Amino acid sequence: MALAPRLARASRQRQILLGLIEDCRRLVQQMVALRELVKGSVYELKTRCGKPSCHCASHEGPLHSATVLSWSQDGRTRLRSIGPEDRPRVRRLAGDYRRFRQARAGLVKIHGQVLLAVDRLEKALRLPPPPPKKKSTSKRRRS
């Protein structure tokens, strides 16, 4: 293999690795900036209460609404009603959790790319083994 293309490939892999390390640093910095997280999603749940005389009993009547936090635990979906005073905070914490998980997924992806770039760098830097030494034809003297 010619020296120039091999070194050019190694240089390119170094640049790729440095870029990936910067991406990794940025994601980790985002993750460690978060102080609290709440797993789940906050949304408005609209339901019928079941009382026959309630306004929600008719098909045209408005449904009852409640803001809830929904999350998965032990394979089941859980719901918790969120009061008006807690809604902004819980929404923010759930959003922070979502951003944390997205950053984690990004780190997993970058990790695979780093390993691939490291393998390619090794291949570009690796030299073939030296050729075998030629045996001399002269006989050695024994002492």
Side-chain angles (χ1 to χ4, degrees):
M1 178 185 298
L3 185 64
R6 186 175 64 81
L7 293 178
R9 278 194 293 277
S11 178
R12 178 68 184 134
Q13 292 309 311
R14 285 185 189 101
Q15 291 172 354
I16 290 170
L17 278 169
L18 290 173
L20 290 171
I21 289 169
E22 180 57 31
D23 293 346
C24 182
R25 185 199 61 75
R26 182 182 46 79
L27 288 173
V28 169
Q29 194 170 24
Q30 289 174 8
M31 294 170 75
V32 299
L34 300 172
R35 298 291 179 212
E36 295 178 314
L37 308 171
V38 170
K39 180 180 179 182
S41 299
V42 177
Y43 61 92
E44 198 75 20
L45 181 65
K46 297 191 180 276
T47 59
R48 298 186 194 284
C49 69
K51 294 179 184 175
S53 61
C54 184
H55 63 83
C56 70
S58 71
H59 290 291
E60 293 83 30
L63 300 177
H64 297 282
S65 66
T67 303
V68 296
L69 173 69
S70 171
W71 75 96
S72 177
Q73 181 178 341
D74 301 326
R76 297 188 62 182
T77 299
R78 310 290 180 166
L79 292 177
R80 173 110 358 109
S81 183
I82 306 296
E85 66 283 350
D86 292 331
R87 288 177 192 158
R89 180 175 180 269
V90 175
R91 282 186 199 279
R92 181 181 51 80
L93 294 174
D96 287 349
Y97 177 78
R98 192 170 35 262
R99 282 185 287 283
F100 185 90
R101 295 298 294 183
Q102 288 170 345
R104 183 190 182 282
L107 285 175
V108 169
K109 183 178 176 183
I110 288 171
H111 182 260
Q113 292 171 339
V114 165
L115 292 176
L116 182 63
V118 166
D119 290 345
R120 288 178 177 164
L121 177 61
E122 176 191 3
K123 185 177 179 181
L125 294 175
R126 190 174 51 226
L127 298 173
K133 292 186 178 182
K134 294 184 179 180
K135 293 184 180 181
S136 63
T137 55
S138 64
K139 293 185 179 184
R140 286 192 258 161
R141 287 191 224 170
R142 295 190 181 195
S143 312

